[in-house]
Amino acid sequence: MRKLQVMIGGLLTGSGVVAYAYARWIEPNHIEVTQTNITLPHLSPAFHNYRILQISDIHLDQWMPRRRLMEVVQRVNAQQPDLIVITGDFITGHATYVADDLSEALCQLHAPDGVLAIPGNHDHKKRAEIVKIRQILHDTHVVDLSNSVHTLKRGENMLYIAGVDSMIARKARLDLVLDQMPLEGAAILLAHEPDFADLTAAVHRFDLQLSGHTHGGQIRIPGLGAVRATLPRYGRRYVTGLVKLDDLYVYVNRGLGMVSIPLRFNCPPEIAVLTLKAPV
């Protein structure tokens, strides 16, 4: 019996070491490209099969070095999307230390309709950080959609892409966005924190919200899902993937980087390709 206990203990310890090694060094490097079709009820046929590529939560730091980020850029461009959107948290700590690497990566992102972005809560940790992030976006020709609207045109047909600033930073102003938008036409909202969807759905103006923030939980137990303790504020109702909330679709991207615990298990980093479909 004693030998059996020792053997079981050894197996459990060994399994734990293997699981940790996998979650620390293997899965964080296994970026999954997901493909999702979404029918938007107000989408013009002129935008049928329009492809939006979303990345989120880069968290450029020691866990997301320049080499890994440049690999992400190559994989993003290889998808040949119509539009690239980034839904916040470019950094974890100090923007100044990673400014050159972030600028280089953003400069190399290419899509016919450009690159749009909003900041996340980590980008707002200090005023100096968000100022630096906004300067980088400006210098690399990435459109900062904080509390504003960007219009895509196909002849006389429009698709509105709007964005709100971070909810946690108390900078999200949906009222300002609505003031800038026409009353009709397909509309998509970028909102870093997915639980902002409760407010988005209440105005009945948007067809789709794209968010990040949760990292999918980073650690997901098979059959049980994300460990609730790993989920951030305003990221506990809608955690990952596509969900429907009344007449609003919400897509929550698992993100690319990591925070707090530098582990990913059953929750690989994600590049999301969303193909918009017009109603038949």
Side-chain angles (χ1 to χ4, degrees):
M1 181 61 71
R2 176 60 179 168
K3 288 182 178 180
L4 180 59
Q5 290 175 341
V6 171
M7 289 177 60
I8 293 174
L11 287 172
L12 291 176
T13 301
S15 298
V17 171
V18 170
Y20 175 84
Y22 172 82
R24 173 64 188 87
W25 286 288
I26 297 178
E27 188 162 300
N29 291 294
H30 178 63
I31 300 171
E32 181 180 4
V33 178
T34 59
Q35 305 279 347
T36 304
N37 295 334
I38 306 176
T39 300
L40 302 187
H42 303 103
L43 188 69
S44 164
F47 286 96
H48 185 66
N49 286 330
Y50 190 85
R51 299 172 76 244
I52 298 177
L53 187 147
Q54 179 201 14
I55 57 175
S56 193
D57 300 87
I58 296 170
H59 286 290
L60 193 54
D61 57 13
Q62 69 268 36
W63 313 118
M64 176 60 72
R66 176 188 176 280
R67 172 190 56 78
R68 186 180 295 175
L69 181 56
M70 296 311 297
E71 290 174 357
V72 169
V73 169
Q74 292 178 5
R75 296 195 65 182
V76 167
N77 290 336
Q79 297 301 313
Q80 298 183 317
D82 295 298
L83 176 71
I84 297 170
V85 300
I86 308 173
T87 47
D89 277 1
F90 293 88
I91 61 171
T92 300
H94 300 287
T96 302
Y97 299 154
V98 298
D100 291 344
D101 292 344
L102 181 57
S103 296
E104 180 182 4
L106 294 179
C107 279
Q108 294 188 41
L109 290 173
H110 300 296
D113 286 330
V115 184
L116 311 179
I118 54 170
N121 57 299
H122 280 268
D123 302 320
H124 274 284
K125 280 195 170 181
K126 293 183 179 179
R127 174 170 171 74
E129 309 307 330
I130 188 59
V131 169
K132 185 66 174 179
I133 292 294
R134 294 198 197 281
Q135 186 62 51
I136 291 171
L137 295 180
H138 177 270
D139 292 346
T140 56
H141 306 290
V142 174
V143 178
D144 182 359
L145 266 188
S146 299
N147 302 322
S148 62
V149 180
H150 183 79
T151 303
L152 299 170
K153 299 179 180 180
R154 295 290 186 270
E156 297 181 354
N157 302 288
M158 312 293 183
L159 172 60
Y160 303 102
I161 313 291
V164 289
D165 210 328
S166 171
M167 188 180 188
I168 288 178
R170 299 183 179 180
K171 301 292 185 180
R173 292 290 305 274
L174 188 59
D175 59 321
L176 297 180
V177 169
L178 293 173
D179 286 344
Q180 301 169 56
M181 288 189 62
L183 297 177
E184 297 180 350
I188 297 171
L189 182 70
L190 310 184
H192 178 67
E193 295 90 351
D195 291 359
F196 192 82
D198 291 338
L199 300 176
T200 306
V203 301
H204 301 285
R205 179 60 189 89
F206 296 92
D207 301 288
L208 172 65
Q209 176 179 302
L210 301 180
S211 300
H213 186 52
T214 66
H215 306 182
Q218 287 190 199
I219 298 173
R220 298 183 64 83
I221 308 302
L224 297 177
V227 178
R228 184 170 177 79
T230 68
L231 297 175
R233 185 161 54 116
Y234 301 132
R236 293 171 182 161
R237 290 176 62 85
Y238 315 107
V239 178
T240 186
L242 185 67
V243 297
K244 187 76 179 293
L245 181 61
D246 296 329
D247 55 356
L248 175 73
Y249 282 106
V250 182
Y251 192 88
V252 186
N253 189 299
R254 296 192 301 268
L256 295 166
M258 300 175 289
V259 291
S260 301
I261 304 172
L263 302 174
R264 278 188 179 268
F265 183 81
N266 196 32
C267 190
E270 178 180 19
I271 294 171
V273 179
L274 309 165
T275 301
L276 307 185
K277 302 288 186 177
V280 177

